[in-house]
Amino acid sequence: MIRDNFSNMQSVRKNVVAVENGGVVAAQHKLGAQVGADILAAGGDAIDAAIATSFAMGVVEPWMSGPAGGGAMMIYRADEDRTYSITFGMRSPAGLDIADYPLSGQGVAGDLFPWARVVGDRNQIGATAIAVPGTVAGMELAFDRFGTMPWRDLVSPAAKLASGGLSVDWYAALIIASSTRELAKNPTAAETFLEDGQWPTIAGWTALSDKRINLDRMAATLQRIADKGAREFYEGDLAAEIVADVRDAGGCLSLDDMKFYQAVLSDPLTASYRGGAVYTPPAMTAGENLAECLEILSHQNFEGTSPGADAYGAYVDALKATYKRRLRDMGDVDDSRAPACTTHFSVTDRHGNMVAVTQTLLSIFGSKVVLPGSGLLMNNGILWFDPEPGRPNSLAPNKRCLMNVCPAIGRHKDRRFAIGASGGRKILPAILQLTSCLMDFDMTLEDAFHQARVDFSGGDTVIIDQSLSPDIIAALGEGHRCVTTRRTAFPYAFACPAGVLRQGNFNQGMTEIMSPWGDAVAENRDGS
């Protein structure tokens, strides 16, 4: 018997956005997607739109990502018929001293990872949790290699968004409320996001409130990056201000850490599947785990027009196999119960170029530190490392972080798609199932995003969407420890995906149906 307070009669749907001879941006926030769509309408291509969307998303949902985070990007260039990967994950500072993170002997940390707890939670909250950011460098590399529009035109829209402030609706208030205690520990974070030390209130039941959070400092910083270029963030006066503020707050970030950070452009991993292929980032992500799962699934054949008990069982078996290896050898042993704290967006343009970008601060609100000069919310990438020595992912200076991100580009028959998700370790199961829906069952993008999913991302329990048929639930229960749950807007029991698909000259986009802010937006060249 399901015991919760929610209606059993309510249904939630989103419509796919489709356009002929035009581009589409699908993102976790409609305003971020609109910025990218406007770039497409102005003549930019998918890379230009992705760069603009990246900066905009750091404004409209700053607790998920931003210039001070990291991530990965998959790119398909239609004129070359070639796929690329750009990784821009965070790094630990070169001056990091492991002795600054002594174990407390008081059980495990209570955030994303069940590491041994560090004294004062220094590896997850505060300036000592800040790693070298990579997002701006990732966008810079994409721009230098593939961009077609002026850099200023791609970053300025985000600055304009920030100058208008952040609207506080029920969803924003809920997100801020979930981190109020930690945000209150940093004076600038408290000043930015809280009201008298508490979460911001909204005007009761009315939908007419227009309360906004002031982001003027962030707006000025983004405009500096727009006017002076990405090197201002890593080598200019802005870099010096960021480093000074982090060090004043107790962190160890240095100018050399910033100056010598490099994003990496490389060939992707390629997984052949069902006569097509899926392309993923090659290292320090969940890309190789997706490829491993697809290899396992390739030895089975599924019938029907949507996944049945055999397919869901195969998904779980493949995920169990790859997570056993990931947790043992790759060192990523985060808690699958942790909340989503990342963002994803996908872009396709009228020429058939595609981009899938996943970017993150790591935890919700990252380190919970907002820098007083730049107004940037900083990452807590140090939490990605195991504070105990001798482990696959142990904390060390100048070391790359292992991420759960898994942006992917796929081709099958006459279709090509770009997908990804937010949600920590829940990302991989979502991308696996969406890929199977599109390639095993030839489902439409809209049907694939509405299809109920299961989650196995480590531990010993399979989480099942309760809307699946009793027969499927019973079949999964025969071989696995299972629990059922409802697909809701908060908290997310499953990942939050966004994707685009191209077939012929038609492009379409779709986002997680439960995401209250997520939307796909098509370019509009007539200006209406």
Side-chain angles (χ1 to χ4, degrees):
M1 179 178 179
I2 299 166
R3 298 183 182 276
D4 61 35
N5 298 318
F6 299 106
S7 168
N8 290 328
M9 299 297 104
Q10 184 181 56
S11 64
V12 177
R13 290 196 64 85
K14 282 187 179 179
N15 296 325
V16 71
V17 170
V19 62
E20 184 178 12
N21 295 318
V24 177
V25 182
Q28 280 182 201
H29 198 295
K30 67 177 186 180
L31 295 181
Q34 184 66 62
V35 165
D38 288 344
I39 293 295
L40 294 176
D45 79 354
I47 284 289
D48 300 312
I51 293 168
T53 303
S54 170
F55 284 101
M57 293 301 291
V59 174
V60 295
E61 47 169 23
W63 42 78
M64 293 294 191
S65 70
M73 173 189 301
M74 292 300 304
I75 301 166
Y76 172 70
R77 302 301 291 173
D79 58 347
E80 302 177 61
D81 191 25
R82 182 176 175 182
T83 306
Y84 298 88
S85 169
I86 294 180
T87 51
F88 47 95
M90 298 168 240
R91 297 187 71 97
S92 57
L96 180 143
D97 185 350
I98 300 173
D100 288 338
Y101 303 86
L103 303 182
S104 69
Q106 298 178 353
V108 299
D111 204 324
L112 292 173
F113 304 85
W115 309 133
R117 192 156 200 160
V118 168
V119 172
D121 293 327
R122 292 171 58 82
N123 60 335
Q124 60 180 304
I125 299 173
T128 52
I130 297 171
V132 187
T135 297
V136 177
M139 298 306 128
E140 177 189 32
L141 180 55
F143 173 79
D144 288 344
R145 183 66 173 80
F146 303 109
T148 69
M149 291 181 65
W151 171 265
R152 188 179 190 279
D153 293 350
L154 304 181
V155 184
S156 292
K160 183 177 179 181
L161 271 180
S163 67
L166 177 67
S167 176
V168 182
D169 56 21
W170 68 264
Y171 188 62
L174 184 61
I175 295 293
I176 295 170
S178 71
S179 296
T180 294
R181 182 174 298 177
E182 290 80 14
L183 290 169
K185 297 176 182 178
N186 176 256
T188 311
E191 176 189 348
T192 302
F193 292 106
L194 305 182
E195 292 180 0
D196 300 322
Q198 302 296 320
W199 58 277
T201 58
I202 54 178
W205 292 97
T206 180
L208 302 179
S209 173
D210 191 30
K211 179 174 289 188
R212 291 182 177 270
I213 288 171
N214 186 309
L215 297 178
D216 284 350
R217 279 178 288 196
M218 179 190 289
T221 296
L222 289 169
Q223 196 58 56
R224 288 172 69 178
I225 296 171
D227 293 339
K228 297 185 178 182
R231 287 297 95 195
E232 172 68 12
F233 184 84
Y234 288 101
E235 299 181 49
D237 292 341
L238 176 57
E241 292 172 18
I242 290 171
V243 167
D245 282 348
V246 171
R247 296 181 79 89
D248 284 347
C252 61
L253 192 67
S254 73
L255 282 170
D256 280 350
D257 289 328
M258 298 290 283
K259 180 178 180 179
F260 294 113
Y261 179 90
Q262 289 186 329
V264 178
L265 174 70
S266 62
D267 290 326
L269 285 176
T270 303
S272 298
Y273 191 67
R274 307 302 189 204
V278 177
Y279 305 91
T280 62
M284 303 303 285
T285 68
E288 67 179 82
N289 301 102
L290 177 61
E292 181 177 6
C293 287
L294 293 174
E295 166 61 22
I296 294 171
L297 292 187
S298 69
H299 299 288
Q300 303 184 52
N301 292 312
F302 307 124
E303 297 182 353
T305 58
S306 63
D310 58 340
Y312 282 106
Y315 302 153
V316 173
D317 290 341
L319 289 164
K320 282 192 172 183
T322 200
Y323 268 114
K324 181 178 180 180
R325 184 180 67 82
R326 183 177 177 91
L327 303 186
R328 181 189 66 235
D329 300 333
M330 298 176 71
D332 174 21
V333 290
D334 56 324
D335 187 344
S336 62
R337 299 167 299 175
C341 45
T342 302
T343 199
H344 179 86
F345 55 91
S346 297
V347 184
T348 182
D349 64 25
R350 61 174 48 226
H351 307 293
N353 300 307
M354 285 188 165
V355 183
V357 179
T358 312
Q359 56 188 40
T360 185
L361 293 177
L362 185 48
S363 295
I364 287 180
F365 290 96
S367 60
K368 281 75 175 179
V369 171
V370 175
L371 300 185
S374 63
L376 293 178
L377 183 56
M378 302 301 290
N379 71 76
N380 64 333
I382 298 304
L383 183 59
W384 252 312
F385 299 104
D386 188 337
E388 294 189 80
R391 305 288 183 88
N393 198 35
S394 291
L395 180 61
N398 198 28
K399 186 175 180 180
R400 293 174 65 189
C401 302
L402 175 65
M403 302 180 289
N404 290 301
V405 301
C406 192
I409 288 177
R411 58 172 177 82
H412 185 240
K413 299 179 180 177
D414 63 341
R415 303 196 299 181
R416 192 175 294 270
F417 58 87
I419 56 175
S422 64
R425 256 176 37 207
K426 299 177 186 295
I427 292 172
L428 173 61
I431 301 309
L432 175 64
Q433 290 167 81
L434 286 171
T435 299
S436 177
C437 285
L438 294 170
M439 298 181 74
D440 283 307
F441 301 99
D442 294 322
M443 295 175 72
T444 66
L445 188 66
E446 183 171 356
D447 287 345
F449 270 68
H450 285 87
Q451 181 67 30
R453 298 197 302 270
V454 300
D455 181 81
F456 179 85
S457 43
D460 60 357
T461 302
V462 179
I463 301 171
I464 304 173
D465 186 327
Q466 68 187 44
S467 68
L468 278 172
S469 72
D471 290 345
I472 293 177
I473 294 173
L476 288 172
E478 291 178 2
H480 311 282
R481 182 177 182 272
C482 299
V483 297
T484 60
T485 191
R486 193 181 298 271
R487 195 170 175 180
T488 60
F490 187 88
Y492 287 106
F494 306 95
C496 186
V500 294
L501 183 147
R502 180 175 178 85
Q503 187 169 19
N505 290 325
F506 285 89
N507 286 324
Q508 52 188 265
M510 191 75 191
T511 64
E512 166 58 36
I513 64 169
M514 297 307 303
S515 170
W517 287 353
D519 258 339
V521 179
E523 69 169 292
N524 184 354
R525 293 206 167 200
D526 65 10
S528 61

